[in-house]
Amino acid sequence: MIGLDKRVAAIFDRVQAEEALRKKTLCCLCGEIAQRNGRRKARQWRPVAVCAALLVCLLCGGYWQNLYFTPSAYIDLDINPSVELTVNSLGRVIASGAYNEEGEEILQRVNLRHAKYNKAVESLLAEMDAAGYFSADTLLSVTVQAGQKEEEDTMLASLEMTIEQCSKTHHYDTITDVFAVTEEVRRCAHEKQVSPAKYLAIQQLLAVDGDADFESCAQHSVHELQRLAQEGRNGKEESGTGGHGHGRQGGHHH
């Protein structure tokens, strides 16, 4: 009996061991299946994640490009070469143009695109000085038109400092007039294909000289137009008519 009991016990132990092995094997198989399913799902989601990342990049890139190339302010310089700079909200030049042939020649000699607006003005003034446009009786008119008053004031102050520094660096002594204009003045000036400063100067002259016409006035410099307007006002005062010229309509000095 004792031998039989031992054999039965041995068989029972083997069955228990095989059952434990089966359980362990089953757990391993379930783990491997779960791991493979996880890798399969990860592979399935990977293209979706890549596409989502690309979409975000495209949207951000499009927004940034639209922000960068949206005009925020305009700077016009008129001394005889007359040029305009289009500036974005980051203070970078995104476009430039000329009102006359002299301005086109100046722009062909400088690269202003993407430059900070004050650095662009420095480059323009240096080229104008090298071309001999500055003299003691020369008037440099600089106008700013911006959508926000704070931005406008900041640009006016920065431009005044830039012009003053350039004058000291290049040793030229010229009259400067830096002021802001309204969007309406800039629009009217563009319709007449002149700078805002010249447009306002012509309006001054037309107010005191009934024989003058816009086209002939546009051939003069801003400084000449202001001098003629002043002479016209002086003549009216001397003749006793009491006529008074209009100020810079739509613009204010800084």
Side-chain angles (χ1 to χ4, degrees):
M1 282 297 289
I2 295 174
L4 179 61
D5 291 340
K6 287 182 178 180
R7 287 195 298 273
V8 171
I11 293 171
F12 185 76
D13 290 340
R14 190 163 55 250
V15 170
Q16 285 184 326
E18 290 176 356
E19 181 67 22
L21 180 61
R22 283 197 298 271
K23 288 182 178 180
K24 185 177 180 181
T25 303
L26 181 61
C27 288
C28 289
L29 288 174
C30 289
E32 179 65 22
I33 292 171
Q35 188 175 5
R36 290 185 178 182
N37 287 338
R39 286 197 297 266
R40 188 179 296 112
K41 289 181 179 180
R43 286 195 297 270
Q44 291 173 348
W45 279 101
R46 190 174 297 129
V48 177
V50 171
C51 291
L54 288 174
L55 179 60
V56 170
C57 290
L58 288 173
L59 291 175
C60 291
Y63 172 77
W64 172 254
Q65 184 178 27
N66 183 62
L67 174 67
Y68 189 90
F69 289 103
T70 298
S72 178
Y74 302 89
I75 301 173
D76 290 87
L77 293 86
D78 197 321
I79 189 169
N80 177 22
S82 301
V83 299
E84 180 187 63
L85 304 178
T86 302
V87 181
N88 65 14
S89 60
L90 303 174
R92 299 279 178 176
V93 175
I94 56 176
S96 60
Y99 293 101
N100 53 20
E101 293 182 2
E102 292 85 354
E104 290 177 357
E105 292 174 0
I106 291 293
L107 289 178
Q108 288 174 0
R109 295 198 289 267
V110 292
N111 182 15
L112 307 177
R113 195 167 178 81
H114 308 307
K116 292 290 287 184
Y117 68 83
N118 53 344
K119 294 298 182 182
V121 170
E122 284 183 14
S123 298
L124 287 172
L125 295 180
E127 281 298 326
M128 292 176 182
D129 180 43
Y133 287 109
F134 290 123
S135 62
D137 62 344
T138 300
L139 172 65
L140 170 64
S141 298
V142 181
T143 61
V144 174
Q145 189 267 305
Q148 301 295 328
K149 180 69 165 56
E150 183 178 356
E151 179 185 16
E152 191 174 82
D153 290 341
T154 299
M155 294 181 72
L156 288 170
S158 177
L159 288 170
E160 285 182 339
M161 291 180 61
T162 297
I163 294 169
E164 182 179 0
Q165 185 60 46
C166 288
S167 178
K168 292 178 180 178
T169 302
H170 299 285
H171 307 289
Y172 56 76
D173 183 19
T174 189
I175 307 167
T176 60
D177 196 8
V178 184
F179 59 100
V181 296
T182 64
E183 184 178 1
E184 176 68 14
V185 166
R186 193 182 71 83
R187 184 186 63 78
C188 292
H190 271 217
E191 290 177 355
K192 295 292 187 178
Q193 298 182 345
V194 297
S195 70
K198 178 170 284 191
Y199 175 82
L200 292 171
I202 292 174
Q203 294 302 316
Q204 284 184 324
L205 180 55
L206 294 178
V208 297
D209 187 351
D211 296 328
D213 63 88
F214 197 99
E215 287 69 24
S216 61
C217 290
Q219 305 305 314
H220 295 279
S221 68
V222 175
H223 203 190
E224 290 174 337
L225 291 167
Q226 291 182 352
R227 179 180 57 80
L228 292 171
Q230 186 59 49
E231 290 176 356
R233 285 191 292 269
N234 292 341
K236 283 193 173 185
E237 290 174 359
E238 291 174 0
S239 65
T241 60
H244 297 283
H246 298 289
R248 290 180 180 270
Q249 300 172 358
H252 61 269
H253 296 267
H254 188 76

